[in-house]
Amino acid sequence: MIGHALLVVGICAATLAYGRAWYACRNEWPRRRGLSWLAGAALALIALSPPMMHFGHARIEGHMVQHLMLGMYAPIGLVLAAPVTLALRTLPQRTGRTLVSLLASVPIRVLAHPVTAALLDIGAMFLLYLTPLYDFMHDTPWAGTLLHLHFLLAGCLFVWSIAGPDPAPHRPGPRLRLGVFLVAMALHGALSKYIYLHGYPLDSASTLEQRRLAAELMYYGGDIAAIAMAIAFFAALFKPRGTARHAGPNRKTNQAPNHS
């Protein structure tokens, strides 16, 4: 379980870094952003807590609850906290320029494209639940750790590509992002129905009733995440244009103007 311990340490370290930056910008940074990060980090840590780890390993319903918390709900909280924007407000100018250049690089642009993000996030679920990978993950500790890390990072990438408030150079227009989002959520729902009807994963030690309950959790839990993402997407889409100039850091002082 060393891998999971390192994952927990990483989340705690990121939360401490976010908290320091939030304190540095406490008079300008919206409280809702900071609370969003705390909520996302709390959900991730609960999903990785010993009771949840035991529940997720022993029963497929527990695994599905972990999947929802770690791969869907926690990423929404973390991404809507706008950590990149906060970093640009507090980092030294040279480091901030390096971060902006990294975000604009071709590999990041490809990785953060909504289609790529959807394939890494939703597509990986098809591979996990419709192949023997699920049982392999449960029998191999390091594979379980990598899976949880993938859930968290792929979920964050997908939310960021669709509705993230952070700056994203060369981000596709809202029509393409909305289209990818609708297709991805439809595929997520279709996968949960397929699992329910055919009792996947077939080689799992759980009973058919347990697998069907897990599929129901996946279906309805995915709907809740989709609603939250849709609200964030349309809220950003119809945000008054006048607030756009406050999104980036002040180049002279490396502090952004007041932002509500």
Side-chain angles (χ1 to χ4, degrees), residues 173-243:
R175 290 185 179 179
L176 188 146
R177 287 186 283 132
L178 180 59
V180 172
F181 170 67
L182 294 176
V183 171
M185 290 299 98
L187 288 173
H188 186 273
L191 176 60
S192 62
K193 291 179 180 179
Y194 191 84
I195 292 173
Y196 183 90
L197 291 173
H198 298 278
Y200 277 90
L202 294 178
D203 295 331
S204 174
S206 56
T207 65
L208 178 61
E209 290 74 16
Q210 290 173 332
R211 280 174 265 161
R212 285 184 168 176
L213 177 56
E216 291 180 347
L217 290 170
M218 182 179 180
Y219 183 83
Y220 293 110
D223 283 348
I224 294 173
I227 292 171
M229 281 189 63
I231 291 173
F233 175 84
F234 286 108
L237 185 63
F238 294 109
K239 187 163 118 178
R241 292 179 179 270
T243 61

Side-chain angles (χ1 to χ4, degrees), residues 87-98 254:
L88 291 174
R89 293 186 177 200
T90 56
L91 289 172
Q93 288 189 14
R94 180 177 296 181
T95 307
R97 292 192 189 100
T98 301
N254 208 40

